Amino acid sequence: MSPQPAGGRLVPAMDVDPLCIILVKNGSRGDRLLFRYPYSDDVALETKIKNKRPTPYSLITEDNIQSPPDPYTSNISNGKLVGFPDKVLSNLFAVKSELSDSKFELKVNDVRFVGHPLRLNPTSAHIPAQAKRKLSTIILFNIVFALKATINHDVVSCYHDLSKRLGIALRHEEYRCQFLSTEAKIMLAAHDEATQLPEDGQVSPFQLILVRSLLAQHFKQAYDELSGSGIVQLRLNNWIEVSFCLPQKVHRSLATGLPVDCEGLLKGLKSLKPYHTFLLLVERAELLRSLSPDASPALWRLLHVEESHLTPFFTLAADADLTLTQVFMLVGHLVYWGKATIIYPVCSTNLYVLSPHAPTVIDNQLAEAFRDQFPGSSLHIMLADFSLPTSLSDKCHPINSPLQQQEQVQQVLWLLKHGLLQQLHTYVYLSPPISLDTDNLRVGSRDIGGTGTLGSHGTSSPASTSIPTPTVQEPPPLPQEPSSLSSQQQPVYHSDMTPDALHRAVVQLSQPASESDLGSVCSDERSPSPGMTLGNTPEPSVQHQLDAVLSSAEKEMVMKVEAARNPEDLKLFAKLCQYFRGRHHLEEMMYRVNLRRSQLLHLIEKFRPVLITCQHPDDSITLSSHIK
């Protein structure tokens, strides 16, 4: 995707564009540069004029070897490679056979060359039967990309991968139908024809090659797409499809065009959770048309699920008849190719705030695009509404008509697609006070469920809003654990859960729930079960869970809270206290422990004297957190 304007001006693209693409071959007749793009006619004509003799009897004098060398000059001019004659490049890139099928990297002045030389005519065991009839005279060929020497190493690795892909596809076509040999003859004939033209009609041989050679047109297409969108999609010889994505150019902040740390962004794909979902950055119909005929049927089924931005992954997997692992892999591909982004399912409790990288100037292209998409609406008014954290239930006022509420939801989705909003999640920290006053720790029943710190934003249930769009479903109930389960026997959850582990978890989620799991929200004054006392001594299993997670001082402070006298509240707190370290937000707790939002918020309010909440984005799936 192209960079978006920031501050009313276009932000320059990342310096990852190639300077030149070069094809070199080494055969029985020596090495030769077959094609390079882009080429410069001016340099060739300048060389001819410089070497032109005033008279047929004059001599071309060489430079004085005793004179001081010329000052350092760059080999890059206007984003193109200059200063390297064809013969020099062919000598550099037509490597020996011992270096074939390995990475080739060479730095000369301020230019770095990267390629992957491949050898033809290997042992007869690797040659198809149809190719044995006529072996090629080409021994080795190399597709080289010229890059700026200051480019990052991960970008160099990506260009090496593209060179290898193109080389393998070209070698396959050579074995199948001698495609490379045929195109090489066309290129060599164009070189010979260009040298025989009169001086007043000189034409670059690469210009002739570009008109006559299909392979040269493929290389030009690859160069143009790399310099444009960063995504290469070509069909070599109208037979083999070669697809490539330059993530350093595709992934950038949609609001500013600033480069994004792709390594951190791709690592975030490993932290996908079943309660996440994806938001398409392109139109669904356009994406479906761009898929190749042999695309995965699983991807087709996933993309045909309507309103996927409202449905978590575990529900998408069931709707598309896929496993959770397959959904993670397919969504990872969409994110890598810049077609989708990871979000939490859109619902009324989601809390959004203006992105710190959002452009707020009046004259910018995003404002014009917003007016075109939503006539009569202003982007800056929408951004002003989210200058402070605002939930969808607050944004979509009940007095608005259903059509107006639907349009407001679509506007929020548009802002999310363009990186102008980011979602805030609530994190909980266990922070007991140094000195504890028992009277101040008593929480009355009238305070429970009121509009406290958490109730101001994002605490209303999805059913309490009048948004006409579907809301996110609660996580499926988990089998209830026995109360005697010790902390050592409980499953330990990690942020980097493998897809296999997540798949096993979703299988457990499909089990039927018990009536206790589906019960209503706990009342503030729950009656104790028969045989239970309201004493301050917890059950042995709860005691063991608290000892495994809390220090003695923390446990002492927790036990002095009035809510700890209720065995049910204390049992639930012991189950959740491992998530009260600020590393898990409420939505993750709801999924892992199988709680409703209202239950979780009531418990936090009951233990408010020892708990602190804060709100910030989830950095693992937030694009703005990876901006360099």
Side-chain angles (χ1 to χ4, degrees):
M1 289 174 293
S2 59
Q4 300 292 343
R9 59 182 179 85
L10 282 176
V11 178
M14 289 182 63
D15 200 10
V16 298
D17 295 342
L19 302 175
C20 187
I21 182 172
I22 305 167
L23 175 63
V24 174
K25 68 95 178 177
N26 188 8
S28 57
R29 300 180 181 179
D31 55 78
R32 188 72 180 268
L33 188 145
L34 297 178
F35 182 70
R36 61 189 290 183
Y37 186 86
Y39 54 88
S40 176
D41 295 332
D42 297 337
V43 176
L45 294 178
E46 181 181 353
T47 304
K48 292 178 180 294
I49 295 174
K50 179 179 178 182
N51 296 333
K52 186 178 180 180
R53 302 180 183 185
T55 65
Y57 306 100
S58 61
L59 299 177
I60 301 178
T61 59
E62 299 293 340
D63 295 336
N64 188 359
I65 60 175
Q66 296 181 352
S67 60
D70 295 336
Y72 170 78
T73 57
S74 174
N75 293 114
I76 303 175
S77 176
N78 297 327
K80 297 181 181 180
L81 180 68
V82 296
F84 287 97
D86 296 348
K87 186 58 179 176
V88 173
L89 294 178
S90 63
N91 291 336
L92 290 175
F93 303 150
V95 298
K96 296 182 179 180
S97 300
E98 291 79 5
L99 300 179
S100 63
D101 204 13
S102 61
K103 183 179 180 179
F104 172 85
E105 186 174 346
L106 176 66
K107 179 179 177 295
V108 180
N109 294 335
D110 56 348
V111 179
R112 187 182 303 274
F113 301 97
V114 59
H116 191 88
L118 291 176
R119 183 181 179 184
L120 295 177
N121 300 336
T123 58
S124 58
H126 296 82
I127 304 178
Q130 62 271 22
K132 293 181 180 180
R133 302 174 183 175
K134 183 178 180 181
L135 297 180
S136 173
T137 58
I138 301 176
I139 300 176
L140 179 144
F141 70 95
N142 193 2
I143 303 173
V144 182
F145 289 96
L147 312 170
K148 292 185 178 181
T150 56
I151 210 164
N152 293 335
H153 179 71
D154 55 345
V155 181
V156 176
S157 300
C158 290
Y159 275 103
H160 167 252
D161 179 61
L162 177 57
S163 174
K164 184 177 180 180
R165 293 189 185 195
L166 290 172
I168 292 176
L170 189 56
R171 182 172 62 180
H172 177 274
E173 286 301 284
E174 173 64 17
Y175 290 161
R176 188 179 69 89
C177 58
Q178 287 80 44
F179 176 67
L180 178 59
S181 299
T182 303
E183 296 297 311
K185 292 179 181 178
I186 297 175
M187 296 178 181
L188 292 175
H191 280 283
D192 296 339
E193 180 180 344
T195 57
Q196 298 176 0
L197 293 176
E199 293 185 0
D200 55 352
Q202 289 291 332
V203 179
S204 172
F206 304 119
Q207 183 178 351
L208 301 176
I209 294 174
L210 193 58
V211 176
R212 304 173 183 177
S213 171
L214 179 60
L215 180 59
Q217 296 171 9
H218 288 329
F219 286 150
K220 179 182 181 299
Q221 177 185 349
Y223 176 87
D224 293 339
E225 292 180 345
L226 286 171
S227 302
S229 63
I231 295 179
V232 177
Q233 289 182 321
L234 60 88
R235 189 171 292 274
L236 190 67
N237 194 24
N238 298 323
W239 187 260
I240 297 182
E241 184 176 1
V242 179
S243 300
F244 173 79
C245 173
L246 187 60
Q248 291 79 8
K249 190 165 188 178
V250 172
H251 294 284
R252 61 179 68 252
S253 171
L254 299 177
T256 64
L258 295 177
V260 173
D261 181 13
C262 296
E263 183 178 357
L265 183 64
L266 297 180
K267 283 183 179 179
L269 295 178
K270 299 180 181 179
S271 61
L272 290 181
K273 300 296 190 299
Y275 53 80
H276 288 151
T277 189
F278 68 97
L279 176 65
L280 290 178
L281 301 178
V282 296
E283 294 297 331
R284 189 184 305 270
E286 177 185 352
L287 179 58
L288 290 174
R289 286 194 301 268
S290 64
L291 295 180
S292 59
D294 57 346
S296 171
L299 182 59
W300 283 88
R301 295 202 300 270
L302 179 64
L303 293 178
H304 277 86
V305 177
E306 296 294 335
E307 296 183 335
S308 57
H309 57 276
L310 304 173
T311 311
F313 283 147
F314 58 82
T315 306
L316 283 176
D319 294 344
D321 194 19
L322 302 171
T323 64
L324 194 59
T325 304
Q326 286 179 297
V327 173
F328 284 163
M329 295 177 62
L330 294 173
V331 172
H333 281 291
L334 293 175
V335 174
Y336 182 84
W337 284 78
K339 306 298 183 181
T341 185
I342 303 299
I343 62 171
Y344 184 78
V346 178
C347 63
S348 62
T349 58
N350 287 4
L351 193 65
Y352 298 107
V353 70
L354 186 64
S355 172
H357 305 284
T360 56
V361 296
I362 296 179
D363 53 342
N364 62 76
Q365 295 181 3
L366 283 179
E368 298 177 1
F370 187 83
R371 284 194 298 268
D372 296 339
Q373 184 72 21
F374 305 100
S377 301
S378 172
L379 174 63
H380 299 89
I381 294 178
M382 281 291 298
L383 297 181
D385 293 341
F386 290 97
S387 58
L388 294 177
T390 305
S391 63
L392 278 183
S393 58
D394 296 335
K395 175 62 179 174
C396 300
H397 202 275
I399 65 174
N400 294 337
S401 65
L403 185 60
Q404 290 176 331
Q405 295 183 13
Q406 180 69 26
E407 184 179 5
Q408 288 175 338
V409 173
Q410 295 300 323
Q411 291 174 352
V412 171
L413 292 176
W414 191 93
L415 297 178
L416 289 174
K417 287 181 180 181
H418 291 80
L420 302 180
L421 291 183
Q422 59 183 6
Q423 183 176 356
L424 298 182
H425 296 270
T426 301
Y427 295 80
V428 185
Y429 292 83
L430 179 64
S431 180
I434 299 177
S435 61
L436 201 63
D437 186 1
T438 307
D439 295 335
N440 294 333
L441 292 183
R442 297 184 180 272
V443 182
S445 60
R446 62 181 181 273
D447 297 332
I448 304 301
T451 56
T453 304
L454 284 175
S456 59
H457 294 292
T459 59
S460 60
S461 63
S464 64
T465 181
S466 58
I467 297 179
T469 55
T471 57
V472 63
Q473 302 177 10
E474 294 288 343
L478 289 167
Q480 188 173 4
E481 299 177 359
S483 59
S484 60
L485 188 63
S486 62
S487 61
Q488 286 84 353
Q489 294 173 338
Q490 288 185 339
V492 180
Y493 297 98
H494 300 276
S495 60
D496 53 349
M497 293 181 65
T498 61
D500 295 337
L502 293 173
H503 176 58
R504 291 193 296 270
V506 82
V507 172
Q508 294 179 356
L509 294 177
S510 62
Q511 300 180 4
S514 61
E515 293 182 0
S516 60
D517 291 329
L518 300 177
S520 60
V521 180
C522 299
S523 62
D524 299 333
E525 298 178 357
R526 171 184 288 270
S527 301
S529 302
M532 296 183 62
T533 62
L534 293 179
N536 207 21
T537 303
E539 297 180 5
S541 59
V542 177
Q543 178 82 19
H544 198 77
Q545 292 179 8
L546 294 175
D547 291 338
V549 179
L550 305 180
S551 63
S552 58
E554 291 175 336
K555 180 182 175 182
E556 179 183 359
M557 296 300 177
V558 169
M559 296 305 298
K560 290 182 180 180
V561 179
E562 184 179 0
R565 299 181 181 182
N566 189 327
E568 294 295 329
D569 291 339
L570 185 60
K571 180 179 179 181
L572 183 57
F573 181 89
K575 191 175 182 179
L576 288 168
C577 61
Q578 60 179 322
Y579 304 117
F580 293 158
R581 300 297 183 183
R583 293 189 294 267
H584 308 275
H585 48 71
L586 296 186
E587 289 78 11
E588 187 168 1
M589 299 181 200
M590 291 164 55
Y591 179 82
R592 292 190 174 189
V593 190
N594 185 36
L595 282 179
R596 299 185 184 276
R597 184 181 296 271
S598 57
Q599 292 177 280
L600 182 57
L601 294 178
H602 279 204
L603 181 72
I604 294 175
E605 288 298 333
K606 289 180 179 181
F607 287 89
R608 172 63 64 183
V610 294
L611 296 178
I612 296 176
T613 59
C614 68
Q615 295 171 337
H616 61 80
D618 186 0
D619 292 338
S620 63
I621 62 172
T622 303
L623 183 66
S624 60
S625 63
H626 302 290
I627 294 179
K628 293 182 178 179

